[in-house]
Amino acid sequence: MFDASYDVVICGGGVAGAAAALASARRGRKTALIEKTVLSGGLATTGLIYIYLPLCDGNGTQVLFGIAEELLLASLKYGPGEVPDWRKGKNAEEAKRYRVIFSPASFTLAIDELLIDAGVDVWYDTLICASVVEGGRLAAVEVENKSGRGRMHAHCFVDATGDADVAHFAGLHCPTAENAMAIWVLEYAKGAQWRLEKSIESVSLHAGGGSIDKKEYPAGIDGATVTRFILDGRKKYLARLKEGYASGKHTRTSLFPLMLPSMAQFRTTRHIPAQYKLRDSEDWKHFDDSIGMTADWRKPGYVWEIPYRSMLPVGLKNLVAAGRCTAAEKDAWEVTRVIPSAALTGEAAGTAAAICAENGTSPDELPVAQIQEAMRRAGNKIHLEDVGLAPRK
């Protein structure tokens, strides 16, 4: 019913997609961002995962910069939250590192503002339905919205869907992983000062914060699994409410949810079949084709370089991946799937796509030195040595 053409099309409007769109548009490329919901930010906002995890290693060394840092600061622009004094930390716990807790709605407004200021053409409430492949190259994606079904053409695409939907629709075999049940909710508890920190304490279903059930769920790549995952999470939260009422400590007016997540809070679903898969125990490893570094949010003192090859699908040109659908497994996937890492790979993917549109090439043909130079000019550090750290021999 309609056709649209761009230099770069970003598929998925989460943190990775937003970072990719900013990087592309700021290089002067005509850029579109497609998002199936009506909110930017993905799991960080629509999914209520409102902790921007650390940009530092827990020992006073910052390892993420560029758009990853810009978005962290933007998350506080229209809402509460403070950056802790992290520079003197040694083996610091997560809460004392360079990270923040933010208001999801405030973050959405800040991301929207950045996208508009950069000149990104944002397509909300638009679902990607199919990939159009011609001669081994991704030529277009088919989408549906209130205008009907249409095609969006581009010289280069970024798959930031979180589920590798574009690669999957193009016929690539995408590895999957299982998920633990998780449910984050914004909640009111009478007698507690309303703060985002308190909301996290309120939602905890076990000591330590984070409502996680170790029961394994299949990858969320089919409609039935997604629905079951959502309903099981709500059932778990409802049981917690009923326990509070039965105990006599609360009533329906003193403890109740303010907002439920409006997207499934899966951790790992599909990732692209890439030229290189980041694996366990590859922290502190030097990669010649690194596009930047990320910190392990679970434990201090662990830093990972991210190879560009983990963003490049095998068997399909004109596509580069960003966010949690870049290629990683097990421990490495836990590190690369979260907000700061998604922002980093998003910026790298958007930069690569923009350069490809400028030069008439495909991401797999692009010399990584061009991406590294552009990332450095944007304020990023590429290798461990750039921040005074030494790779493991």
Side-chain angles (χ1 to χ4, degrees):
M1 295 181 178
F2 61 89
D3 279 276
S5 295
Y6 293 88
D7 294 327
V8 176
V9 167
I10 315 295
C11 303
V15 168
L22 291 173
S24 173
R26 287 171 178 174
R27 289 188 66 92
R29 296 302 94 199
K30 184 182 179 183
T31 304
L33 178 66
I34 306 170
E35 168 53 36
K36 65 182 179 181
T37 73
V38 296
L39 300 174
S40 57
L43 281 168
T45 57
T46 314
L48 303 183
I49 311 295
Y50 38 81
I51 297 182
Y52 205 118
L53 290 167
L55 306 187
C56 71
D57 67 348
N59 291 312
T61 299
Q62 184 175 348
V63 298
L64 286 121
F65 303 85
I67 291 178
E69 185 173 22
E70 180 183 4
L71 290 178
L72 179 146
L73 298 175
S75 74
L76 305 180
K77 187 174 182 179
Y78 299 114
E82 300 293 337
V83 176
D85 183 10
W86 58 272
R87 294 187 182 278
K88 297 180 180 179
K90 295 297 180 184
N91 294 315
E93 60 186 67
E94 179 209 302
K96 296 181 179 180
R97 293 166 66 179
Y98 189 2
R99 62 79 130 157
V100 297
I101 296 172
F102 57 85
S103 158
S106 300
F107 195 16
T108 292
L109 294 176
I111 294 173
D112 281 353
E113 186 174 54
L114 288 170
L115 293 171
I116 293 168
D117 288 348
V120 177
D121 194 358
V122 181
W123 292 58
Y124 283 140
D125 196 28
T126 300
L127 180 67
I128 296 167
C129 305
S131 297
V132 180
V133 180
E134 298 174 354
R137 305 175 72 89
L138 183 61
V141 290
E142 291 191 359
V143 300
E144 284 189 353
N145 59 23
K146 289 297 183 181
S147 298
R149 178 171 281 223
R151 283 189 174 183
M152 298 183 67
H153 304 264
H155 185 87
C156 195
F157 296 82
V158 175
D159 190 337
T161 61
D163 304 318
D165 285 341
V166 178
H168 171 70
F169 291 149
L172 300 186
H173 174 70
C174 298
T176 62
E178 292 185 327
N179 288 271
M181 166 55 63
I183 176 73
W184 289 53
V185 177
L186 285 179
E187 184 181 73
Y188 170 81
K190 187 175 182 180
Q193 181 183 359
W194 174 242
R195 302 176 304 163
L196 285 170
E197 289 86 351
K198 185 60 190 178
S199 71
I200 287 180
E201 293 171 10
S202 297
V203 77
S204 300
L205 298 184
H206 70 87
S211 46
I212 300 172
D213 185 336
K214 293 302 182 182
K215 178 181 178 182
E216 297 297 329
Y217 285 76
I221 57 174
D222 65 88
T225 299
V226 172
T227 299
R228 180 166 65 90
F229 187 84
I230 292 170
L231 292 177
D232 284 355
R234 292 177 183 170
K235 181 179 179 181
K236 188 174 181 68
Y237 177 68
L238 185 59
R240 178 190 181 278
L241 279 182
K242 291 179 177 179
E243 288 175 6
Y245 300 158
S247 70
K249 295 180 180 179
H250 291 285
T251 68
R252 62 181 177 83
T253 61
S254 66
L255 178 68
F256 54 87
L258 293 172
M259 183 179 294
L260 299 175
S262 50
M263 66 182 293
Q265 298 168 327
F266 287 112
R267 284 165 158 72
T268 51
T269 54
R270 283 188 294 246
H271 70 68
I272 61 165
Q275 294 184 10
Y276 187 90
K277 181 185 289 188
L278 195 62
R279 294 175 170 83
D280 286 355
S281 302
E282 290 192 319
D283 52 286
W284 296 107
K285 182 174 179 178
H286 174 93
F287 290 98
D288 289 343
D289 64 335
S290 172
I291 50 80
M293 295 166 286
T294 192
D296 193 326
W297 55 276
R298 302 161 303 170
K299 50 191 177 182
Y302 290 81
V303 181
W304 303 66
E305 292 189 5
I306 307 298
Y308 180 55
R309 288 166 293 161
S310 68
M311 302 165 58
L312 297 176
V314 174
L316 184 65
K317 292 182 174 295
N318 278 10
L319 181 67
V320 58
R324 75 180 189 198
C325 57
T326 58
E329 66 180 14
K330 299 180 181 178
D331 213 39
W333 206 348
E334 288 295 319
V335 172
T336 57
R337 67 176 176 80
V338 296
I339 294 173
S341 305
L344 168 65
T345 54
E347 181 177 3
T351 300
I355 295 173
C356 288
E358 294 163 10
N359 298 342
T361 188
S362 174
D364 60 307
E365 302 163 346
L366 185 65
V368 71
Q370 291 188 35
I371 305 169
Q372 292 171 331
E373 180 185 0
M375 292 290 283
R376 284 194 171 101
R377 286 201 305 268
N380 292 280
K381 309 295 184 182
I382 303 301
H383 296 293
L384 294 158
E385 299 92 332
D386 295 342
V387 293
L389 300 175
R392 184 190 302 137
K393 300 298 183 181

